[in-house]
Amino acid sequence: MSSKSDSSFLQFKNVKKSYDQKTLVVKDFNLDVKKGEFVTLLGPSGSGKTTVLMMLAGFESITSGDITIQGESIKRTAPYRRNIGMVFQSYALFPHLTVSENLGYPLSVRKLDKSDIKAKVGNYLKLIELEAFGDRYPGQLSGGQRQRVALARALIYEPRLVLMDEPLGALDKKLREQMQFEISHLHHRLGFTVIYVTHDQTEALTMSSRIAVFNNGVVQQCAPPDDLYERPSNAFVAGFIGENNFISGNVSAHKKKTVSVAVPGGRKIVAQNADVGSGEKNCIISIRPEKIFIQPTAHAYDNEITAKFVARYYVGDFIRYNFRLADRTEITVKVLNDLAAPEFSEDEDAKLVWLTKDCFAFRKERQ
Amino acid sequence: MSKFPHYFSIWDKASHYGLKWTAWAVLFFLMLPILVIIPLSFNVEPYFTFTDGMLRLDPDAYSLRWYKEIFSDDKWVLAIQNSFFIGIFAALLATVIGTVAAVGLSRPEMPFKRLITALLLSPMIVPLIIIAAGMFFFYTRFNLVGSYLGLIIAHATLGTPFVIITVTAALTGFDRSLYNAALSAGAAPLKAFWDIVVPLIRPGVISGGLFAFVTSFDEVVLVLFLAGPGQRTIPKQMFSGLREQINPTILAVATLLIVVSVAFLMTLEFLRRRAERIRSGQ
Ligand SMILES: Nc1ncnc2c1ncn2[C@@H]1O[C@H](COP(=O)(O)OP(=O)(O)O)[C@@H](O)[C@H]1O
Ligand SMILES: [Mg+2]
């Protein structure tokens, strides 16, 4: 949108990448990042996320397009002159150097004084709470500790940009959550700019200021986490982020903001228009399981649909229902456990209701 | 109380012992010619056989006579000096060339990888006598026959494949993101290579260098073709010694060579263990 280079710190302009000169791995990548932002590239495995980071770090060439930092193209800058910090998925700690030597390496390369290096390494060891571990070798640390050393090594020379490629992928769930918190904390405290790569949407949602959902080498949507979840701009994003129900139907009326859709069960549904063009006849409606209510309910609603009961699962904090529409589309509903959660017998008809603001109409055949 | 499982029949037990004794016999057969040299080199008499005194373990039947002989004979001293001089410089040259080649060949963007590898490794496969003949004619043009430089280059050619193989093996376990990490930390490519890659592949480099040294050290065919009288090495001296003055000096030299070889083997094993430790990052 805004292409003024002073408003954005890092800019990808129509970046394309092909490894074999035949197929494009990154098709047309555009992204503006402001200083101090925490932007996450989220996408399925093989969607080209690592490739984007590698081009930014300079380990892969850019096939076409350009990447600029502070308005200057980085294409002609060698990787070691880019002043970009990188945290690798494998940590890439130097195994023959101690923790302190690992942290000091970027500083000694920059020819800082020995005493300055020592002081700074001390500070960062304190920051990552590994003061007592300076003389250990990476092989003598646990996974979480190595991760923190890798992080500190990427931050210690205060690079203008920090890249992280699935940095928590090798940790178990509990440690991962703790490290997510620590990275966010450091980001708030030190204010560096981050490009973070992950395929874990929970991680992306909890840490990022903005998320770029990435598929097939194209950014599908780039927005803050709540926008992404509550206002997905196309069917891929709606399906990729969180759980969703999809109902296909025929467009019967097309307004600027909303569309009316005829769905199996005969009813008309009014949904917010995400990306349905004015000429299109078919569309897909998405509605999240926790936004659907089962009649009778005290909640306000705009849309109603009749479905057959299939199953009811007790999950603990909520109850999960499966229903089926006339065309065998499965509908999942989540009901909080503190509400009255009705019982049904098999094939019994139920009325499901929801608000127009919670459901979206998407173009069909996107991919 | 038998060490065999209960289901073993008499035949199973027999074949167990049969296999065991065959294995020992093979080992014995391989080692005996080498081991027998060691006591014989201490023989007081100028014979290649055990004397009665030696069999009785009479101390007077043993001596260091032949060892003294080596170091008082100018020819042997020169041969030993030459062997070490040529071996060390050939190994250094092979190590540098082999390491650089292996690093280049390990890069994914390197074209014609297989062809170049095959060419570089060919001295291991081509019969030595053919290499020797080829080099002889080639070297005559450059006046390299009968020179130290000629022999050093020739032996480095033979040693390079060993270095390529050991360094390539060390590099297969090398995580390229370590090198990238050094680059992104701000190190220029050569510095990143020197600080990060070299220390991690050093055991491979050193063991390749040792192999190259040993190759040069016991090489005789190229020496016969290319060396002048000034460049005679230990193997060549032994070769002519066998014909000229047949006495146990040769056995004493052989014993020394065995000691050197064992020392090399132990160094290699030590390096291998150290490489493993570096890998696991202890
Ligand atoms: N060095 C390479 N050479 C050829 N193809 C590659 C290379 N690296 C990645 N690819 C291909 O590019 C695509 C995207 O890979 P990658 O960027 O690693 O995806 P992600 O990080 O999102 O999992 C994959 O299909 C992969 O096979
Ligand atoms: Mg990846």
Side-chain angles (χ1 to χ4, degrees), chain A residues 19-303:
Chain A
Y19 284 106
D20 53 5
Q21 318 305 330
K22 281 183 221 126
T23 49
L24 286 176
V25 170
V26 175
K27 280 177 190 141
D28 192 16
F29 188 79
N30 286 289
L31 185 67
D32 282 18
V33 180
K34 289 190 209 44
K35 209 172 171 68
E37 258 194 315
F38 194 118
V39 173
T40 298
L41 300 183
L42 174 65
S45 191
S47 57
K49 307 180 298 287
T50 299
T51 305
V52 168
L53 279 201
M54 288 297 156
M55 287 190 286
L56 183 50
F59 304 137
E60 284 294 347
S61 63
I62 303 167
T63 305
S64 81
D66 201 2
I67 302 175
T68 60
I69 295 181
Q70 288 165 327
E72 270 178 53
S73 171
I74 57 167
K75 257 184 172 171
R76 295 189 172 278
T77 313
Y80 66 99
R81 295 229 173 91
R82 291 193 184 185
N83 199 18
I84 291 176
M86 178 129 189
V87 182
F88 294 81
Q89 178 165 9
S90 57
Y91 311 135
L93 296 178
F94 308 132
H96 59 300
L97 302 182
T98 63
V99 169
S100 293
E101 287 165 346
N102 264 283
L103 294 188
Y105 187 72
L107 304 177
S108 71
V109 165
R110 286 170 173 70
K111 301 207 165 63
L112 264 67
D113 275 356
K114 283 228 163 60
S115 57
D116 291 349
I117 295 180
K118 205 167 168 221
K120 203 146 193 191
V121 167
N123 282 344
Y124 272 80
L125 281 175
K126 198 184 264 173
L127 193 69
I128 56 173
E129 290 167 13
L130 289 177
E131 286 143 294
F133 293 80
D135 293 331
R136 297 236 191 145
Y137 286 91
Q140 299 166 317
L141 301 181
S142 72
Q145 291 168 334
R146 283 183 216 179
Q147 176 54 56
R148 278 184 282 180
V149 176
L151 189 63
R153 191 184 61 186
L155 298 177
I156 197 164
Y157 51 102
E158 291 163 19
R160 48 186 176 170
L161 185 60
V162 180
L163 314 182
M164 306 192 196
D165 190 1
E166 313 214 11
L168 308 182
L171 302 181
D172 61 44
K173 189 168 179 295
K174 203 170 159 219
L175 210 51
R176 205 158 59 216
E177 280 165 6
Q178 187 191 336
M179 283 304 302
Q180 287 171 13
F181 171 76
E182 285 184 27
I183 293 175
S184 296
H185 180 73
L186 280 177
H187 174 244
H188 284 140
R189 200 169 139 194
L190 304 177
F192 45 88
T193 311
V194 185
I195 307 291
Y196 192 94
V197 161
T198 182
H199 64 265
D200 179 340
Q201 48 165 302
T202 323
E203 199 167 293
L205 291 171
T206 51
M207 297 174 77
S208 326
S209 24
R210 273 192 307 146
I211 301 172
V213 179
F214 202 56
N215 192 38
N216 276 329
V218 180
V219 175
Q220 306 283 339
Q221 183 175 3
C222 182
D226 50 340
D227 265 12
L228 215 54
Y229 189 81
E230 287 166 35
R231 282 175 289 281
S233 67
N234 63 48
F236 177 82
V237 176
F240 191 71
I241 308 282
E243 210 183 340
N244 229 330
N245 293 300
F246 290 101
I247 308 167
S248 48
N250 300 317
V251 179
S252 61
H254 195 285
K255 289 190 194 134
K256 209 175 191 177
K257 291 234 170 100
T258 60
V259 275
S260 302
V261 185
V263 297
R267 298 261 178 181
K268 281 242 156 47
I269 296 222
V270 182
Q272 300 205 61
N273 189 1
D275 61 351
V276 183
S278 55
E280 292 188 54
K281 297 228 164 56
N282 298 321
C283 72
I284 302 174
I285 289 173
S286 82
I287 173 79
R288 296 213 181 263
E290 72 273 17
K291 305 285 190 190
I292 304 181
F293 301 98
I294 304 170
Q295 283 277 43
T297 175
H299 285 267
Y301 62 89
D302 307 315
N303 296 309

Side-chain angles (χ1 to χ4, degrees), chain B residues 237-255:
Chain B
Q237 180 60 29
M238 289 174 89
F239 191 73
S240 41
L242 270 177
R243 289 178 308 178
E244 293 159 15
Q245 18 123 231
I246 198 139
N247 68 38
T249 316
I250 286 177
L251 298 184
V253 175
T255 306

Side-chain angles (χ1 to χ4, degrees), chain B residues 39-61:
Chain B
L40 279 179
S41 72
F42 295 100
N43 199 346
V44 139
E45 309 289 340
Y47 305 136
F48 285 86
T49 50
F50 286 96
T51 57
D52 288 345
M54 292 180 89
L55 294 175
R56 270 185 279 113
L57 294 180
D58 180 355
D60 290 339

Side-chain angles (χ1 to χ4, degrees), chain B residues 42 44 49-50 102 138 151 168 182 186 194 223 234 244 247 261 277:
Chain B
F42 295 100
V44 139
T49 50
F50 286 96
F138 187 68
L151 268 185
T168 303
W194 193 252
V223 176
I234 299 174
E244 293 159 15
N247 68 38
S261 306
R277 249 183 309 135

Side-chain angles (χ1 to χ4, degrees), chain B residues 161-243:
Chain B
F162 291 102
V163 183
I164 292 180
I165 288 172
T166 56
V167 175
T168 303
L171 280 168
T172 22
F174 183 80
D175 177 4
R176 206 182 148 86
S177 61
L178 290 177
Y179 175 72
N180 284 348
L183 287 187
S184 77
L190 267 182
K191 180 159 175 60
F193 180 73
W194 193 252
D195 288 349
I196 306 302
V197 183
V198 170
L200 293 174
I201 62 169
R202 189 173 289 149
V205 174
I206 295 176
S207 56
L210 288 181
F211 273 120
F213 178 78
V214 172
T215 306
S216 158
F217 205 68
D218 70 11
E219 202 287 323
V220 71
V221 180
L222 292 185
V223 176
L224 285 177
F225 271 74
L226 302 174
Q231 289 92 39
R232 60 174 55 220
T233 59
I234 299 174
K236 179 164 182 196
Q237 180 60 29
M238 289 174 89
F239 191 73
S240 41
L242 270 177
R243 289 178 308 178

